[in-house]
Amino acid sequence: QAVLSEGTMMITRSSFLLLLTLSFLSCTAAFSESSKSGKLRGVNGEITSEAQAEEVIEDQSGLENAATADFGDGTSKLIKFHVAMLDGTSGAEGSFVVKTRPEWAPLGAAQFDELTSVNFWEGCRIFRVLPGFVSQFGINGDPDVQSRWKEPIKDDPVATTNAAGTVVFATAGKGTRTTQIFINLDDNSFLDDMGFSPIGEVVSGMDVVKRFFSGYGEGYPQGNGPSQSLIQTTGNSYLEEKFPQLSYFTGASFVEL
């Protein structure tokens, strides 16, 4: 269940599952000597339960601390995300709603709510979309903003399965959740035993989520998609130049239950 170290691979799943996922991390070089990186790995586009769980890994290079606000009042919240560049097309917009579930994961739900309260999601690109598996986002387009969020939150026990539509923090192992998020696009219940704890779910607009642009494929270096290290160091200027069709959030705000 440990996160695979760089250069290792574990193959224990069927070839069908192996086709669904590549590495969840796109970085091989460390951002700095003290930075961390994690990576989901695959072979020839194949993945396994361990590898796929490790594919739900967050590259933490270059993140810095921001105090996690005490948002944990134990109440569910609805958060509406507005998305541009659906299908990679200018002018194609939509929205979806996430309901946080503190009864599942109180610490993760509080962190997600706090990120929303400080407008963290605006401008964030959905930089890694693997149809049939997950969509990943949560590196702010402004490196200065991202640099405030290095301090990880503690883990929540897994209280519900990684079903399609659930919202989950990416990790680089135990005690490493910060800002990166993935939405399960299918039943990924094999992630449950790996400690990936859903903190909420998409309650409307899943059709919009499935239109996040996926044309760039797997991230660098496994594929031709964005490098997470470069997103963290140069932000949206890098993505706008090299990956202009990425879907992105124009805003996210709380709405009434």
Side-chain angles (χ1 to χ4, degrees):
Q1 296 183 355
V3 172
L4 293 180
S5 61
E6 188 166 338
T8 64
M9 171 56 64
M10 302 172 66
I11 304 296
T12 60
R13 295 288 289 186
S14 69
S15 59
F16 173 74
L17 282 178
L18 294 176
L19 291 172
L20 293 181
T21 308
L22 300 171
S23 93
F24 213 120
L25 260 190
S26 303
C27 301
T28 52
F31 173 67
S32 68
E33 291 182 359
S34 62
S35 67
K36 297 179 181 178
S37 65
K39 186 176 298 182
L40 274 167
R41 312 180 190 283
V43 174
N44 295 327
E46 300 182 356
I47 47 170
T48 67
S49 58
E50 289 89 350
Q52 221 171 3
E54 291 143 15
E55 292 160 292
V56 188
I57 286 173
E58 171 187 353
D59 176 0
Q60 298 208 340
S61 304
L63 302 183
E64 286 189 15
N65 179 31
T68 301
D70 185 13
F71 243 80
D73 59 6
T75 61
S76 293
K77 295 177 176 61
L78 291 180
I79 300 164
K80 188 172 186 177
F81 284 78
H82 299 277
V83 192
M85 292 294 290
L86 293 175
D87 305 315
T89 302
S90 179
E93 302 178 350
S95 63
F96 66 97
V97 177
V98 169
K99 184 175 185 178
T100 55
R101 294 285 192 177
E103 67 272 26
W104 295 348
L107 300 176
Q111 177 86 335
F112 193 86
D113 291 343
E114 170 63 5
L115 289 164
T116 303
S117 75
V118 298
N119 206 30
F120 180 88
W121 309 117
E122 184 174 348
C124 284
R125 268 55 181 174
I126 301 96
F127 58 82
R128 189 165 183 270
V129 180
L130 299 179
F133 182 44
V134 297
S135 291
Q136 184 179 356
F137 58 91
I139 302 176
N140 193 274
D142 182 344
D144 290 337
V145 172
Q146 186 65 48
S147 70
R148 303 169 197 156
W149 292 90
K150 182 178 180 180
E151 185 72 15
I153 61 172
K154 294 181 180 180
D155 295 328
D156 288 300
V158 179
T160 192
T161 190
N162 280 261
T166 50
V167 178
V168 190
F169 273 94
T171 79
K174 292 183 178 180
T176 58
R177 298 184 300 173
T178 55
T179 65
Q180 287 201 43
I181 295 290
F182 65 91
I183 299 174
N184 283 304
L185 302 179
D186 205 344
D187 176 10
N188 294 321
S189 58
F190 64 87
L191 297 176
D192 301 349
D193 291 339
M194 307 302 293
F196 293 97
S197 179
I199 58 91
E201 60 185 327
V202 176
V203 293
S204 69
M206 196 63 190
D207 57 326
V208 172
V209 172
K210 291 182 178 180
R211 292 178 62 194
F212 294 167
F213 184 69
S214 62
Y216 295 122
E218 178 62 294
Y220 177 85
Q222 285 75 19
N224 296 319
S227 161
Q228 291 189 36
S229 287
L230 288 176
I231 302 173
Q232 292 180 30
T233 56
T234 60
N236 281 347
S237 60
Y238 157 66
L239 295 175
E240 289 167 358
E241 178 183 357
K242 301 295 185 181
F243 304 96
Q245 290 183 276
L246 287 176
S247 302
Y248 64 93
F249 302 129
T250 58
S253 59
F254 295 103
V255 295
E256 293 186 6
L257 289 169

